[in-house]
Amino acid sequence: MSNVIEICNLRKVYKNFMLDDISFSVPGSFVCGFIGENGAGKTTTLKLILGMAMKDGGSIKLFGKPADDVSLKEDIGVVFEQPYYQEDWTPIDVEKAMRPFYRKWNSTTFHQYLERFSLNPKQKYKTMSRGMKMKLGMAVTLAHDAKLLLLDEPTSGLDPACRDEMLEIFRDYMVEEGRTIFFSTHITSDLEKIADHIIYIKNGRIVYSGLKDELIEKYCLVRGGVGDLPRSKRDQIFGLREYTGGFDGMIEIKDIAGFPGSVVAETVSLDDIMVRMSRRAGYDETNGCI
């Protein structure tokens, strides 16, 4: 399967942060989650992909073409955490402003999504809730039949019901063959419901790129009582916590042998992986994987 996004040795230097020669690819027809702590480089990477910031090195390709190829705009839909429309615009005004930029704009589709999302075509943008603003951004994106959605924190700040509705929109979007979603988020529970592929960035470096299930299946949580932690296992545990009653932490499943039978092993979540990795000082990021 061909890659829709190809990033090679991408570099961006700021005063207090550096995107450090990152490389990854996103295969077509996948939902790919881009995870990492706040400040890890997620939004910077998206802005570089979209040409909203100038890279200091490396290359970016979308659909096999340089990312700055103007012909790509027809096939890309973008929704940032805060969509940018004039405060006094209504959805009707938004359509008037956006329609000239897309040859494949479908007014019928746009208004169908407004109806589906319960958006009043005459309601001013400034009076809309955060969830309504995100839905309007999605209606714009879906109205021009984008093949690739680039989304920055699309479910952040939404209540659980609205987040679930947004995920359902993404699922419906992916029903049609040849569509791809790449979205950054710190809400890992959303990714566990919908993502196939995960890219994990930490401190400006890619530490994992691959299938979500393979990442989750690589680790487990271990919990034990006082005296259950062999000295030989301490350095293998990510995010080790020791307390009066015992210990807990995360370990690669290949290293699980050697614990006494009283130690309990449990399945990890993406959230567990991010939290435990952030607590482990000095783990090796240089080889580009965890």
Side-chain angles (χ1 to χ4, degrees), residues 214-243:
E214 289 183 359
L215 176 59
I216 291 175
E217 291 168 3
K218 185 177 181 179
Y219 300 96
C220 67
L221 294 177
V222 287
R223 305 180 190 276
V226 176
D228 283 345
L229 178 59
R231 184 177 299 273
S232 61
K233 309 303 288 185
R234 297 182 67 89
D235 291 341
Q236 296 176 338
I237 295 179
F238 294 78
L240 174 63
R241 295 192 307 173
E242 295 181 88
Y243 40 86

Side-chain angles (χ1 to χ4, degrees), residues 167-178:
L167 294 180
E168 191 62 34
I169 293 167
F170 298 158
R171 292 188 189 96
D172 290 349
Y173 169 81
M174 290 299 295
V175 168
E176 187 170 324
E177 189 175 351

